[in-house]
Amino acid sequence: MTSHRVMGRLGAATAAVILLLGGAACGAPSNGPGSAKADQTLKWALPAPPNSLDITKAINATSYTVQSAGLETLVHPEAGQIKPWLAKSWTSPDPLTYVFELRDDVTFWNGAPMTADDVAFSIERNISPSSLISYDFTAVSSATATGAHEVTVKLKHPDPLFLQVAIGTDALVVQKSYVQAAGDQIGTPDKLNMGTGPLEFKSFSKTSGVTLDRYDKYWGDKPTFAGVQFTTISDPETMRIALTQGQVDGSFDGTAAHSDQYKSNKTNVSLAPGKGYLYMSMDVRQAPFNDVHVRKAIALALDKQAITKATAGNAAQPADALMTRPQFETMFGQDGVDFTSQVPSTTTNLDAAKAELAQSKTPKGISTSVRFNADGRLAFQVIQQQLAPLGIVLNGQQVDDNQFYSEIGKISDPQGLRIILSGAASTDPWESLRSLLGDADTAGYSSDVTKTNLDILASTADPAQRKSAVVAISKDIADQAPFIPLYTTKQMLVLGKEWAYDNFTPRGSGWILKLHPAS
């Protein structure tokens, strides 16, 4: 499910992973004695150890950060474009067929050449229901080696996100024979994985971390450092101290809401539009949220500016769209006028909220539970206070991540009121909307408008039609309020001043190649 996968990449972060909206290299050049050297090992902090070095078994952010440091994809989504990588070119003779021509100079870390059979296998294994990333491959029918350096992928139906998400983010290429020999142990400390990337997996421990060494026979530009040591620092304050004192060299996973606290004479801090968004979901299948007046009253009473400031500081911005900021700006531009001129913004209006509630079946207010994980805890506290003047009493129930995502994965069950931090890997709003109104529809909401326009988004690449469809869906959701967007996140990078990171964006496939010594 998108919310689970991507929030891991956001971290689930997700990792993850695509559009640069401003920002330059992070890390000022340094020629002093403290500058990084080409034989130095980069020390990178994670908030938790990876669950697995194999993407079919782990899709959270920390896992993807490590996986994508060693494993590669056929293409790279960058700045809204798809660029060749392990595939040097591709064609699409019809909407259901993609033919990839592979590079012929790529080897795995054990010296064996990458073959079309390896690539086809790497794609096919993600289709299996046993793969945790299979939901991004639902459109894929088959992947077949059709030549010595050619792979043909057949789709069941058109998928505008196929290249950007399934192929460019998720289909990490592995060696077929190694994976088959490893069996269920693939991605574990005993059977790491076998890839083609610039860094080779050398060791993996749930306690001491993951070590990767530079692969000197790498087909592309080699990293300008000897390797990477991923280490786990689970306590946020301990991580902040380690970063600001130079005990570790960098991390994506500091507390972005307190970005100023990470600045020191040893660090540079960068913020970029992130891949997450926080929203409220109300299950329209059950009382009292089956009453549109209750839902609208809640929407009108919320002060998104206050929620954003109190919970995320300068690491987020209030939102009226159910998508990430990169998705919004890719389709509607930075000013967003094509969206804001058509989709009404929800402005805080307590009098209007009271008037809406007065029209409901519960005009004197309601008492209801709210479920959230740690990502929604602070937002809940602010929302609880903002709704109290309406006579709406919220009883918070915080649960751990595993339970929370397990619950919202069972959308046929009653979902009540939830605060959810979700996200997306791509820069196309359809990824967010198809999940929100599909496998992550905790509101149980559907309408003729959403059905018709989701079909348009799934079947056409025409920019004007896609923009019109996103606007139509967004207007319908704003009118019926099954979901209330609260804010979009920003991603933070903290990096030692002896290192540089070119054009910082949220992490993605190939992120490790953007790092190099500042000198």
Side-chain angles (χ1 to χ4, degrees):
M1 186 174 71
T2 299
S3 53
H4 193 180
R5 182 278 305 274
V6 180
M7 288 330 300
R9 292 186 184 171
L10 286 168
T14 106
V17 95
I18 292 181
L19 174 67
L20 174 62
L21 299 169
C26 178
S30 171
N31 295 313
S35 61
K37 298 179 176 62
D39 60 352
Q40 185 169 333
T41 295
L42 178 76
K43 298 183 291 293
W44 200 264
L46 301 172
N51 294 336
S52 172
L53 300 184
D54 186 66
I55 197 168
T56 69
K57 298 179 180 295
I59 53 176
N60 64 322
T62 52
S63 297
Y64 188 80
T65 296
V66 179
Q67 292 163 1
S68 58
L71 306 176
E72 299 187 288
T73 53
L74 295 182
V75 300
H76 275 186
E78 292 183 14
Q81 299 181 356
I82 307 296
K83 297 184 177 181
W85 204 250
L86 293 181
K88 61 182 181 181
S89 65
W90 61 92
T91 59
S92 182
D94 62 70
L96 301 182
T97 305
Y98 286 83
V99 181
F100 296 93
E101 184 180 358
L102 309 179
R103 298 184 64 92
D104 60 5
D105 57 350
V106 180
T107 60
F108 289 103
W109 302 321
N110 59 10
M114 181 191 76
T115 68
D117 200 33
D118 292 312
V119 173
F121 170 80
S122 299
I123 298 171
E124 284 260 331
R125 67 195 298 260
N126 288 299
I127 304 174
S128 169
S130 63
S131 169
L132 295 182
I133 205 70
S134 61
Y135 53 81
D136 276 343
F137 292 81
T138 55
V140 180
S141 175
S142 65
T144 309
T146 50
H149 303 288
E150 181 184 277
V151 172
T152 299
V153 179
K154 291 287 187 178
L155 304 184
K156 302 171 188 175
H157 53 78
D159 183 358
L161 295 180
F162 171 68
L163 284 175
Q164 191 172 161
V165 177
I167 296 300
T169 303
D170 297 334
L172 300 175
V173 173
V174 292
Q175 187 180 37
K176 179 179 178 179
S177 60
Y178 183 94
V179 173
Q180 289 181 328
D184 290 341
Q185 292 299 303
I186 189 65
T188 68
D190 293 328
K191 294 292 183 180
L192 304 177
N193 217 327
M194 184 60 61
T196 63
L199 297 170
E200 176 182 357
F201 296 135
K202 285 298 185 180
S203 66
F204 172 25
S205 166
K206 292 285 187 177
T207 55
S208 61
V210 182
T211 300
L212 295 90
D213 289 348
R214 182 174 58 220
Y215 177 47
D216 287 329
K217 294 183 179 179
Y218 180 60
W219 62 271
D221 293 336
K222 298 174 181 62
T224 51
F225 47 91
V228 177
Q229 173 66 46
F230 290 100
T231 186
T232 300
I233 307 177
S234 57
D235 179 69
E237 179 60 13
T238 303
M239 182 184 287
R240 187 192 68 81
I241 292 171
L243 286 162
T244 56
Q245 293 186 357
Q247 297 166 7
V248 292
D249 297 309
S251 181
F252 294 120
D253 295 296
T255 306
H258 306 299
S259 58
D260 288 346
Q261 298 179 17
Y262 290 81
K263 296 177 181 178
S264 74
N265 62 356
K266 295 182 180 292
T267 59
N268 285 317
V269 178
S270 296
L271 289 170
K275 297 181 178 181
Y277 57 97
L278 189 77
Y279 67 96
M280 180 182 289
S281 167
M282 293 172 279
D283 193 337
V284 304
R285 299 166 296 186
Q286 63 183 119
F289 307 114
N290 57 355
D291 188 331
V292 68
H293 297 294
V294 172
R295 303 196 303 267
K296 285 187 173 182
I298 291 174
L300 287 165
L302 296 181
D303 182 343
K304 296 179 184 179
Q305 291 279 358
I307 294 169
T308 303
K309 182 178 180 180
T311 63
N314 66 348
Q317 61 188 104
D320 287 312
L322 286 158
M323 60 191 76
T324 68
R325 189 65 193 177
Q327 289 176 338
F328 183 87
E329 293 190 3
T330 298
M331 179 165 281
F332 298 103
Q334 289 190 348
D335 61 12
V337 65
D338 288 343
F339 183 92
T340 57
S341 63
Q342 300 180 75
V343 181
S345 175
T346 305
T347 303
T348 309
N349 189 328
L350 196 56
D351 290 336
K354 291 178 179 178
E356 278 288 349
L357 194 61
Q359 300 179 62
S360 75
K361 298 175 183 177
T362 52
K364 295 183 179 181
I366 61 174
S367 178
T368 188
S369 63
V370 185
R371 292 180 77 76
F372 49 87
N373 63 354
D375 294 321
R377 179 178 60 84
L378 293 178
F380 162 74
Q381 294 171 358
V382 180
I383 292 169
Q384 184 183 46
Q385 295 174 2
Q386 291 181 354
L387 297 185
L390 292 183
I392 295 178
V393 178
L394 301 183
N395 304 300
Q397 299 176 349
Q398 181 173 338
V399 296
D400 64 44
D401 285 357
N402 288 335
Q403 181 178 345
F404 187 70
Y405 288 115
S406 175
E407 291 173 354
I408 64 178
K410 301 171 182 175
I411 57 174
S412 60
D413 294 347
Q415 296 288 330
L417 177 60
R418 290 184 180 272
I419 300 171
I420 302 172
L421 181 63
S422 188
S426 77
T427 55
D428 192 316
W430 182 49
E431 185 187 2
S432 292
L433 294 175
R434 72 173 178 179
S435 174
L436 197 73
L437 294 163
D439 63 3
D441 186 4
T442 49
Y445 181 74
S446 181
S447 70
D448 290 341
V449 172
T450 60
K451 291 177 183 177
T452 298
N453 286 283
L454 284 174
D455 286 344
I456 291 172
L457 289 171
S459 61
T460 182
D462 180 79
Q465 291 185 47
R466 295 181 68 78
K467 182 183 291 187
S468 178
V470 169
V471 167
I473 293 171
S474 299
K475 288 173 67 175
D476 185 69
I477 290 175
D479 180 62
Q480 296 298 312
F483 306 100
I484 303 173
L486 299 173
Y487 62 70
T488 58
T489 64
K490 296 179 182 178
Q491 178 76 49
M492 181 173 72
L493 167 68
V494 182
L495 195 62
K497 289 189 175 181
E498 66 270 28
W499 296 92
Y501 190 111
D502 296 332
N503 298 328
F504 170 55
T505 63
R507 75 201 86 174
S509 54
W511 71 270
I512 198 70
L513 291 171
K514 296 181 179 182
L515 275 165
H516 56 86
S519 57

